[in-house]
Amino acid sequence: MTAERAADPLAEPLVLGIETSCDETGIGIVRGRTLLSNTIASSMDEHSRYGGVVPEVAARAHLEALQPSITAALAEANVQLQDLDAIAVTSGPGLAGALMVGVGAAKGLAVALDKPLYAVNHLVGHIAADIVTPDSEPLEYPTIALLVSGGHTSLLHVRDLTTDVELLGETIDDAAGEAFDKVARLLGLPYPGGPEIDRAADASPAGPGDPKAIRFPRGLSKASDMAKHRYDFSFSGLKTAVARWIEREEAAGRSLTESTRADVAASFREAVVDVLVTKALAACEDLAVPRLLLGGGVIANKRLRDVAVARAEAAGITVRIPPLSLCTDNGAMIAALAADLISSGRAPSTLAFGADSTLPVTEIQVAVAAGDAQPGAPA
């Protein structure tokens, strides 16, 4: 233990985070803002046979993966359970059954080890992933955050990570990741759709697709939509437009070739990227915030990253993107958020919380104790 830590046990708390909101069992360990372990066990292969995430399959996979994942994370971090200062867990949003597995495990560990427990928000966790990115500069506030994943597409105004996160807009139907999965199915491509759409658009045997070949709609981007839905997203109509285009081609006797599939994939992807980046940069401009943080699994899409960086640079906006290993769902981001809460003096959560599949992003931590009443709370 360092002299600084001995003087102030809140300075660099050692926290284990548990993330089970969807199909990835994430266990992360951080010491303050230093990442010690980021262990992820994915059940994606089990879901691929169904063409999407099956909640019951995900929950069972979490049950099977939790213990070995915790063991692996502790070994990588070279710490013991007894060394931990706190346990953190995703309370929501996410799949209810999957969340219950993580919440139950976290409560059991906290009680058995007599350690404080921090129940936190999954979406805010994606922002916290940035603060444990190795060699990164401290995150400045305020910042606009665009979170894009299979289940969420959200635009946030982050004035402070632990106290003030405002939801500016979100998807009103399909999330961007869901749209990728559904369009991939229309094109005869396997699950998960994001990487497959990328391959079809960029690495087709017929050559790269033309992103301007087909002008697919940009949801909620018309002037008539902007008053009410300036920062909201909609991808259901885009998915339907792709389906109708394919149907018209087939009705005319033109089946999909490698070349046309590449054009459809590239044009669809361009529509998604265009609306995501346009609305995110609009929020930066409207709120006079010269910073944009990208997070969530869909940020793995290279076209999205490239367009966001290029257009933001032209607008004088700085873009931050955590490493891809911290963009997908992971326990390190949950541990990082809890460590920041601890360092800011926040009391732990009580045990009076459960899995909340619709937890609003404004609830950064749930079931906060009135004081340091929970046994084991850092003093």
Side-chain angles (χ1 to χ4, degrees), residues 35 38 124-134 136 139 145-147 292-297 299-300 305 319-328 330 333:
L35 178 63
N38 182 29
V124 183
H126 275 297
I127 305 167
D130 181 83
I131 67 176
V132 289
T133 296
S136 67
L139 181 61
L146 175 65
L147 307 181
L292 175 63
L293 171 67
L294 305 181
I299 301 304
R305 298 198 308 274
V319 176
R320 295 174 68 111
I321 308 174
L324 297 186
S325 61
L326 292 173
C327 285
T328 57
N330 62 86
M333 67 187 195

Side-chain angles (χ1 to χ4, degrees), residues 2-376:
T2 66
E4 177 189 3
R5 182 162 168 73
D8 183 3
L10 299 184
E12 292 188 314
L14 182 64
V15 183
L16 181 145
I18 299 175
E19 155 59 33
T20 63
S21 66
C22 192
D23 62 338
E24 289 165 320
T25 306
I27 305 297
I29 300 175
V30 303
R31 189 182 295 281
R33 295 189 172 186
T34 301
L35 178 63
L36 302 182
S37 176
N38 182 29
T39 300
I40 300 174
S42 175
S43 59
M44 186 177 295
D45 289 345
E46 297 177 53
H47 300 287
S48 61
R49 72 185 71 176
Y50 305 107
V53 176
V54 180
E56 292 80 2
V57 173
R60 184 175 295 111
H62 288 310
L63 280 170
E64 296 172 352
L66 261 175
Q67 183 172 345
S69 295
I70 292 173
T71 300
L74 291 168
E76 182 181 4
N78 194 27
V79 299
Q80 304 293 320
L81 282 173
Q82 293 76 11
D83 299 329
L84 297 171
D85 293 314
I87 306 295
V89 66
T90 297
S91 176
L95 302 175
L99 289 167
M100 288 178 189
V101 176
V103 167
K107 288 183 177 181
L109 278 174
V111 171
L113 297 170
D114 191 28
K115 303 291 183 181
L117 176 61
Y118 286 78
V120 301
N121 191 295
H122 169 82
L123 294 179
V124 183
H126 275 297
I127 305 167
D130 181 83
I131 67 176
V132 289
T133 296
D135 303 320
S136 67
E137 295 294 322
L139 181 61
E140 293 184 65
Y141 302 112
T143 188
I144 300 299
L146 175 65
L147 307 181
V148 192
S149 67
H152 304 281
T153 303
S154 305
L155 195 56
L156 312 176
H157 187 195
V158 185
R159 298 182 186 88
D160 183 271
L161 180 65
T162 60
T163 62
D164 192 354
V165 177
E166 176 189 2
L167 177 67
L168 297 176
E170 60 187 342
T171 183
I172 64 172
D173 42 55
D174 289 344
E178 290 176 299
F180 271 98
D181 292 337
K182 292 176 180 179
V183 169
R185 192 177 304 125
L186 291 171
L187 293 174
L189 302 172
Y191 173 87
E196 297 297 333
I197 292 285
D198 274 355
R199 276 190 280 271
D202 297 330
S204 165
D210 180 2
K212 298 181 180 179
I214 310 161
R215 176 68 184 184
F216 286 127
R218 273 64 170 161
L220 297 182
S221 294
K222 295 179 181 178
S224 57
D225 296 320
M226 296 303 283
K228 184 178 180 181
H229 294 290
R230 182 167 181 78
Y231 305 127
D232 290 325
F233 303 92
S234 172
F235 298 105
S236 180
L238 171 59
K239 170 206 65 182
T240 301
V242 175
R244 297 291 87 81
W245 189 92
I246 294 173
E247 288 173 2
R248 286 194 297 270
E249 290 295 294
E250 292 176 343
R254 295 186 291 269
S255 58
L256 278 178
T257 64
E258 292 290 349
S259 179
T260 55
R261 181 180 284 108
D263 285 346
V264 172
S267 298
F268 161 76
R269 182 181 64 183
E270 199 69 9
V272 174
V273 168
D274 186 19
V275 73
L276 288 172
V277 174
T278 297
K279 285 178 176 277
L281 294 183
C284 290
E285 180 180 354
D286 295 345
L287 299 171
V289 177
R291 289 171 289 274
L292 175 63
L293 171 67
L294 305 181
V298 177
I299 301 304
N301 187 289
K302 185 176 184 299
R303 180 62 180 166
L304 174 55
R305 298 198 308 274
D306 289 348
V307 171
V309 169
R311 289 178 57 181
E313 182 178 340
I317 294 168
T318 301
V319 176
R320 295 174 68 111
I321 308 174
L324 297 186
S325 61
L326 292 173
C327 285
T328 57
D329 293 347
N330 62 86
M333 67 187 195
I334 302 305
L337 177 54
D340 245 34
L341 288 165
I342 293 169
S343 295
S344 64
R346 291 287 291 274
S349 301
T350 69
L351 296 180
F353 74 93
D356 187 344
S357 60
T358 60
L359 183 68
V361 72
T362 49
E363 292 190 38
I364 299 167
Q365 179 190 355
V366 302
V368 183
D372 291 341
Q374 182 172 337

